Amino acid sequence: GDTGRLGVLFGSASLPATGDLWDIADLELRGSAGNERVGTRAAAADLDGDGVGDLLVSAPGWDGPLGGDQGRVGLFAGPLSASSTPLQVSDAGMILVGEAGGDALGTTLAALPDANGDGAPDAWLASPYNDAGAAGGGRLHLLLGIAGP
């Protein structure tokens, strides 16, 4: 199955001009089960207000306790460190999950500069197949960041 894989490169003046991503990635995230699709979407923003970037990583095909393709998004608080051991979404400090099987939370996500005017970046996460409003109508979730000191 398509477990998914995401490579993270930390900014540097000495990045190679070419190379296999998996040979030069500072950090790698991998899916833990077939069709999880880790890394379908990813975004970076300082969502916890500590002045250091955080990483959101989606896995919309994750099969949770409420059914197949429930979907989940992991928030990895920065600073992130290079590692030769791949991480999984379950290693994140915060994990958001779809409301029901079939929601596919994290099919789309994005960091926003500041949606509510508090000075902190925010993020939105999509559950395109959520049935709360209408069958398959979808739902958009707003994750509000915390303004720093």
Side-chain angles (χ1 to χ4, degrees), residues 34-38 40 59-64 68-72 104-105 107:
N35 208 37
E36 187 174 7
R37 300 191 316 271
V38 164
T40 297
W62 177 71
D63 295 340
D69 291 341
Q70 184 176 349
R72 65 182 176 174
L105 177 67
T107 299

Side-chain angles (χ1 to χ4, degrees), residues 11-25:
S12 169
S14 62
L15 284 174
T18 62
D20 184 324
L21 174 61
W22 310 116
D23 292 336
I24 62 174

Side-chain angles (χ1 to χ4, degrees), residues 22-102:
W22 310 116
D23 292 336
I24 62 174
D26 295 303
L27 184 63
E28 180 182 346
L29 285 101
R30 289 187 185 172
S32 59
N35 208 37
E36 187 174 7
R37 300 191 316 271
V38 164
T40 297
R41 296 286 183 266
D46 180 18
L47 295 170
D48 60 9
D50 65 357
V52 179
D54 307 311
L55 180 65
L56 285 166
V57 179
S58 75
W62 177 71
D63 295 340
L66 300 178
D69 291 341
Q70 184 176 349
R72 65 182 176 174
V73 173
L75 175 60
F76 294 85
L80 299 174
S81 299
S83 175
S84 59
T85 303
L87 298 176
Q88 297 179 344
V89 173
S90 59
D91 295 320
M94 175 192 280
I95 301 171
L96 305 159
V97 300
E99 295 175 72

